[in-house]
Amino acid sequence: MEIILGDDRRMKRMSAVLVMAGLLSVTIPGGAVHAAPASETLGSVVKAIKKEFAKKSGVRFSVVRRGGPPGTWDIKASGAYRFRASGVYAADTTTISQEARGTSRTREISIGRKFYSQSYVRSKDGKYPYKSPSRVGDWTYAQNLAGVIWGKDLINGINPGFLELGASHDATSADGGTFEGVKTTLHSGTVTVPKVGERQAGMYFETQEEELAYGGPITWKLWVGPDHLPRRFHAVMRLTLPEGGATYTVTMNMIYRGWGEPVRITAPPQHLLSDDW
């Protein structure tokens, strides 16, 4: 199941992106550019991330995303990733957005190819104009949904695939100042891709041309600590259809915390599983 930017509202609620109020107000100063080649400096970040993958550890994250083509919503989300050698194996994400009918809240758990979700909209008077499943507290279950699987195409500061793409497009390295008490290095750059889309696992990019797909430049910044592990990721995506027309801007800010701390992600109890979507 794949969700492309601009899909209908119900499918939008099934997207799993990534709560942290005030994230957009964080300001981190830049500094002098380092002499080391960007490919080497980002290489050290990729190496550090893959080491965490091999340790089967995890990390907690929060994200704020704003903007985009019609049909997309501003969201706040938070959760955790659990790793295995190949990358993210499990994720638990709660996403919150506002719509005309009320506050939308979706929680999604993926463990391998097993996927559990619950989503509802609650109005100001306490009613539920939308529920999936129809009883609040129950979970839907599915398996082998391609959209929930972590991949090398995700626009994420802990995705080696995206960092390797950035390293190949003249990324730079600079003093990133201090973030949450940690001295950081700032890596940054711009890559232009023909397609940006969205699925449950997050926003993704493609490098192959495709008709009627939103694409354009992604300007990104990544702050990493002395251990080379990401602390904050910021991306601005300017998206336009190939034939022209309006350009939409999507801004995404992610924060990573608790590297190496135990992350336990478990499936919902069997008695709460429902086939009512």
Side-chain angles (χ1 to χ4, degrees), residues 57-194:
S57 63
V59 70
R60 300 190 179 279
F61 67 88
S62 59
V63 61
V64 173
R65 195 183 73 203
R66 302 190 187 282
T72 62
W73 295 349
D74 298 344
I75 65 137
K76 294 180 180 180
S78 62
Y81 295 131
R82 195 179 80 207
F83 306 139
R84 63 179 178 183
S86 59
V88 173
Y89 172 69
D92 186 343
T93 305
T94 298
T95 303
I96 296 175
S97 62
Q98 300 297 322
E99 60 167 277
R101 295 180 295 177
T103 299
S104 172
R105 182 184 185 276
T106 298
R107 185 178 176 192
E108 296 169 320
I109 296 174
S110 61
I111 303 174
R113 290 187 174 273
K114 296 181 178 181
F115 180 68
Y116 309 88
S117 69
Q118 53 182 205
S119 181
Y120 61 83
V121 175
R122 186 175 184 178
S123 62
K124 291 182 179 180
D125 60 7
K127 295 181 180 179
Y128 294 89
Y130 173 85
K131 292 182 290 185
S132 177
S134 59
R135 189 178 75 171
V136 173
D138 282 357
W139 294 79
T140 61
Y141 167 73
Q143 191 164 345
N144 297 321
L145 297 180
V148 310
I149 305 303
W150 179 272
K152 295 182 178 180
D153 57 352
L154 293 179
I155 303 170
N156 193 307
I158 66 168
N159 175 24
F162 183 79
L163 299 182
E164 289 164 356
L165 177 69
S168 68
H169 286 72
D170 298 323
T172 61
S173 176
D175 178 5
T178 300
F179 178 65
E180 295 188 335
V182 176
K183 182 175 175 56
T184 67
T185 298
L186 170 63
H187 304 290
S188 60
T190 299
V191 297
T192 299
V193 294

